[in-house]
Amino acid sequence: MLAMESAHSIRFLYRHFLSGITEKSLNAFYYACSYAKVDYSRFMNVTASMALKLIPGLLESQPVFLCIDDTMVPKFGKKFENASKLFDHAAHNGSNYLNGHCFVSLMLCIPVWNDRKVVYQAVPLGYRMWKKKKSKLELAASMVRQVMPEFCTKKNVVILCDSWYAKKDLVCVVNDYSNLDIICNARCDSVIYDPAPKPTGKRGRPAKHGRRLSVWDDFVLSDEKIGEYYTGVRRVLTNISGAREVLAYVTSAGKDSGSRRLFFSTVFPEQLHVFCAWQEKAPLNQTGSGWMQYIPLFLYAFRWNIEVGYYEQKTFWSLCSYMVRRCKGIEMLVNLINIAYCAMKLLPYQDEAFAEYRTKSVQEFRFALSGQIRKQVFYATFVDNIENSIKSNAVMNALKQLIVQQGFHL
């Protein structure tokens, strides 16, 4: 139902679609959002399970990615539950603060074939409202833990997140699952050390780590650009990963000047099985033997998919237009909108009849499908209404034959 047109509100959806196919009142749908005994947290597991089934057999060994981020939804009313003043670094309203809600979300990226190339299809799994009872890091960690049972057969599941989420409360999750790793951006002033030196045999407690490192003085950048940046890499220890060694990448637009960015990866290139030559986009498909050590850094680029998902859902799917006031109702409606969005992403891969839409935007597929739904609703309602007033079997048969010719079956 939500896959029709952009639903500005439950009232809008009811007036333009639901009232034509049901006798339920408008209040019934408001009540269902806020009080229905539905565990919408399970939506993530169902969506993840459906998405994983679409991975072709030859790509089963490829890594899958869980992108984590949060997004702000401005609200101008005074009666929305849990609405508060929030800091938004990306706000364009003359201030870095807005009144509204903050949602933490999780997105799954799975490999599929597209014209003999490996393409990662991005499917948002769900949203959780940040209610300040626990941190966004803890909220993100709980979402990851909830969906991880669906990935028990996958060799490499990799979390992708920006520097805000590169903290212990989230990074510690990778220690709970043997097939889970994380690749993240990090603050340049993050504390990093050389790996612990080998025991000397002398008395006293062995050192837990080597000397402290600097992103400016202790990373030798590559002689040529790796993708778009000069890059240095080395094994390190960090406070957020404890005693576990990780790869640290430092990138810079200039060889001897310019700002530097720091990335961590708990997964090493030799642990990954990536079909580099068949990747759709550079620099992964240009990776030669000299670039293999940089593969985890290249994989971080898939995190951008979650930003694209936010843009599409806010612009074309009315993610920000809800008028429900209770927190439970808001989360229910937002996740129902997300399910409709996911359905449009997955259906072209589930049903060959819609295969032509695999390379088209999800909005284009939605408009095409909604047009067909409208026609079916119109014909079904038309026949239902005239059956009581027209008694001629000949007329009824003629109408039904016309409907069948249009490609619909009653």
Side-chain angles (χ1 to χ4, degrees), residues 202-351:
K202 298 181 180 179
R203 295 179 62 182
R205 186 179 67 180
K208 292 184 177 181
H209 53 73
R211 67 184 182 88
R212 183 167 177 174
L213 303 175
S214 166
V215 298
W216 296 98
D217 303 324
D218 297 306
F219 284 81
V220 179
L221 300 183
S222 55
D223 293 330
E224 60 179 15
K225 285 190 174 182
I226 307 299
E228 298 180 2
Y229 301 96
Y230 296 98
T231 306
V233 57
R234 65 188 298 167
R235 285 178 176 248
V236 302
L237 292 174
T238 71
N239 287 342
I240 63 173
S241 61
R244 180 174 182 172
E245 290 188 16
V246 301
L247 285 179
Y249 294 91
V250 171
T251 65
S252 176
K255 174 71 173 177
D256 301 314
S257 62
S259 61
R260 296 195 172 191
R261 299 180 69 193
L262 175 65
F263 300 84
F264 294 137
S265 172
T266 64
V267 63
F268 294 85
E270 58 269 20
Q271 297 174 286
L272 294 166
H273 188 209
V274 181
F275 293 167
C276 293
W278 285 273
Q279 293 292 324
E280 181 189 35
K281 296 181 180 180
L284 266 175
N285 60 10
Q286 301 172 355
T287 302
S289 58
W291 283 18
M292 293 301 291
Q293 61 180 329
Y294 303 108
I295 284 181
L297 180 62
F298 298 153
L299 295 178
Y300 180 78
F302 288 117
R303 196 202 72 84
W304 182 251
N305 286 322
I306 199 167
E307 303 290 351
V308 176
Y310 289 152
Y311 172 78
E312 288 187 331
Q313 291 189 324
K314 289 182 176 181
T315 306
F316 304 108
W317 293 78
S318 303
L319 190 72
C320 302
S321 301
Y322 55 82
M323 299 301 290
V324 184
R325 296 178 181 178
R326 288 172 54 86
C327 285
K328 181 180 178 181
I330 294 170
E331 280 192 303
M332 176 71 79
L333 183 58
V334 166
N335 281 285
L336 285 174
I337 292 173
N338 185 65
I339 286 178
Y341 178 81
C342 292
M344 298 298 98
K345 300 275 282 189
L346 298 177
L347 189 55
Y349 293 91
Q350 291 176 321
D351 193 332

Side-chain angles (χ1 to χ4, degrees), residues 58 87 134 137 152 158 185 234 253 256 265 275 300 380 390:
L58 291 176
F87 176 79
K134 57 182 178 180
L137 294 164
C152 59
V158 183
N185 189 202
R234 65 188 298 167
D256 301 314
S265 172
F275 293 167
Y300 180 78
I390 299 179

Side-chain angles (χ1 to χ4, degrees), residues 65-131:
F65 303 99
L66 290 173
C67 306
I68 297 173
D69 206 349
D70 57 83
T71 187
M72 309 290 180
V73 175
K75 304 307 293 184
F76 300 99
K78 301 292 185 181
K79 298 183 179 179
F80 291 99
E81 188 178 1
N82 202 52
S84 61
K85 206 64 138 178
L86 302 169
F87 176 79
D88 183 8
H89 66 88
H92 301 288
N93 58 359
S95 171
N96 285 330
Y97 292 88
L98 57 83
N99 185 71
H101 295 122
C102 177
F103 291 92
V104 177
S105 68
L106 193 65
M107 174 176 277
L108 171 64
C109 297
I110 58 169
V112 293
W113 289 113
N114 178 23
D115 192 24
R116 301 177 66 184
K117 292 289 184 180
V118 178
V119 178
Y120 272 84
Q121 183 67 278
V123 183
L125 299 182
Y127 290 85
R128 293 292 178 272
M129 183 187 293
W130 177 46
K131 302 174 184 177

Side-chain angles (χ1 to χ4, degrees), residues 163-230:
S163 58
W164 201 94
Y165 285 90
K167 299 177 178 66
K168 274 187 177 181
D169 286 343
L170 177 62
V171 176
C172 67
V173 177
V174 303
N175 298 323
D176 298 338
Y177 304 93
S178 60
N179 62 338
L180 183 63
D181 287 283
I182 188 170
I183 301 173
C184 60
N185 189 202
R187 290 170 54 106
C188 276
D189 59 356
S190 298
V191 177
I192 53 178
Y193 303 96
D194 262 333
K198 294 181 179 180
T200 60
K202 298 181 180 179
R203 295 179 62 182
R205 186 179 67 180
K208 292 184 177 181
H209 53 73
R211 67 184 182 88
R212 183 167 177 174
L213 303 175
S214 166
V215 298
W216 296 98
D217 303 324
D218 297 306
F219 284 81
V220 179
L221 300 183
S222 55
D223 293 330
E224 60 179 15
K225 285 190 174 182
I226 307 299
E228 298 180 2
Y229 301 96
Y230 296 98

